[in-house]
Amino acid sequence: MEMKSKEQFVHSVFESIAPKYDMMNDILSFRRHKAWRAFTMKKMNVSPGSHSLDLCCGTCDWTIDLAKASGSGSVVGLDFSQNMLDYGAIKVKNAGLEDQITLVRGNAMELPYEDNTFDYVTIGFALRNVPDVDQVLSEMLRVVKPGGKVVSLELSKPTWQPFKAIYYFYFKHLLPLLGKLIARRHEQYKWLPESLVDFPNHKELADRLRAIGMERVEVYPLMSGIAALHIGHKAN
């Protein structure tokens, strides 16, 4: 799929599944995505008063966690799907964090921010969906401050058999069926397993982070490798 057509298709997918996005995240991660995010927040050790950017923020669960962890710090949640942002805005309002969180419709490939702006730049369960992984990682590194952290929490590829075979069967055959039954979006959820086919495994992704200039890259495979946390540091 060409870069532009992939971007347009992914946009249509997330615009259409926004109402069921949280429920499908539960199914996609075996209801582990909240635990994985809690683990990520512990590893990040967010500093009070820090300034964060949450890319492809979706319905803003991680955006809200970042705001709470930073105390008085500000967080920008950026996504290219207005429907996702609209659902996220409701969560932000219910959490009473409207003064801390700013939601922006934008493109992760071309971030509308100056170099060295944020203490943390995060992307959750979205890096596999972008048209160019290296371009997005480079943009994340550009806008994070020296000494800051670039953080990716993403689905990955299990390496342990027989779990690997079981997971791929689930992901390729059962997930699209569940998407059809629950979200009434068979084609969109059929695409989700395809998004992992060419995506690097956790070791390869770590190499990509290092190749674009990140230092002290931390890698944490989660649940036999079906997800992975990567934390890269920007040189001081």
Side-chain angles (χ1 to χ4, degrees):
M1 189 179 291
E2 294 181 0
M3 188 176 296
K4 193 64 180 178
S5 61
K6 176 180 179 179
E7 185 174 352
Q8 292 169 343
F9 179 70
V10 171
H11 181 266
S12 69
V13 167
F14 285 95
E15 284 281 276
S16 66
I17 67 175
K20 300 289 187 179
Y21 179 73
D22 292 339
M23 183 186 300
M24 292 308 297
N25 263 352
D26 279 340
I27 294 170
L28 193 61
S29 69
F30 300 96
R31 304 195 71 176
R32 297 298 298 163
H33 64 101
K34 293 179 181 178
W36 294 339
R37 198 167 61 247
F39 174 81
T40 298
M41 292 298 296
K42 183 177 180 180
K43 291 296 181 183
M44 286 178 65
N45 192 24
V46 174
S47 300
S50 57
H51 189 31
S52 301
L53 169 64
D54 185 23
L55 294 186
C56 308
C57 63
T59 57
C60 296
D61 286 341
W62 199 357
T63 319
I64 289 169
D65 285 350
L66 289 165
K68 289 179 177 178
S70 70
S72 60
S74 61
V75 182
V76 175
L78 182 144
D79 203 286
F80 70 164
S81 167
Q82 189 60 51
N83 282 353
M84 287 287 191
L85 291 172
D86 290 345
Y87 279 91
I90 296 170
K91 291 184 181 180
V92 170
K93 183 177 181 180
N94 290 341
L97 295 170
E98 293 166 290
D99 292 338
Q100 273 184 264
I101 294 175
T102 302
L103 299 183
V104 174
R105 186 177 182 186
N107 187 349
M109 298 272 288
E110 299 177 28
L111 296 177
Y113 302 105
E114 298 292 328
D115 297 359
N116 309 319
T117 299
F118 301 95
D119 298 293
Y120 306 92
V121 183
T122 62
I123 185 165
F125 304 109
L127 192 58
R128 71 188 186 282
N129 300 326
V130 302
D132 187 326
V133 170
D134 291 334
Q135 172 67 17
V136 171
L137 291 174
S138 295
E139 278 289 273
M140 294 173 76
L141 183 62
R142 179 182 68 79
V143 301
V144 79
K145 295 177 183 177
K149 297 178 182 179
V150 171
V151 184
S152 169
L153 177 61
E154 183 57 275
L155 296 176
S156 191
K157 298 176 181 179
T159 55
W160 175 67
Q161 291 285 18
F163 182 76
K164 179 178 179 180
I166 295 170
Y167 181 71
Y168 271 95
F169 177 82
Y170 165 80
F171 211 58
K172 186 173 182 179
H173 298 288
L174 297 185
L175 178 64
L177 178 60
L178 290 169
K180 183 177 182 179
L181 292 173
I182 296 173
R184 298 183 181 179
R185 291 290 187 274
H186 178 266
E187 285 303 312
Q188 286 86 337
Y189 282 93
K190 180 176 179 291
W191 171 80
L192 284 172
E194 295 172 0
S195 69
L196 263 183
V197 171
D198 296 322
F199 191 72
N201 63 35
H202 67 270
K203 294 179 181 178
E204 293 166 342
L205 185 57
D207 289 339
R208 302 273 279 271
L209 267 64
R210 296 184 186 101
I212 65 167
M214 297 188 202
E215 298 186 348
R216 291 182 289 123
V217 175
E218 304 170 42
V219 187
Y220 303 94
L222 303 168
M223 197 175 169
S224 298
I226 72 169
L229 165 64
H230 291 75
I231 302 176
H233 298 76
K234 186 169 182 175
N236 282 304

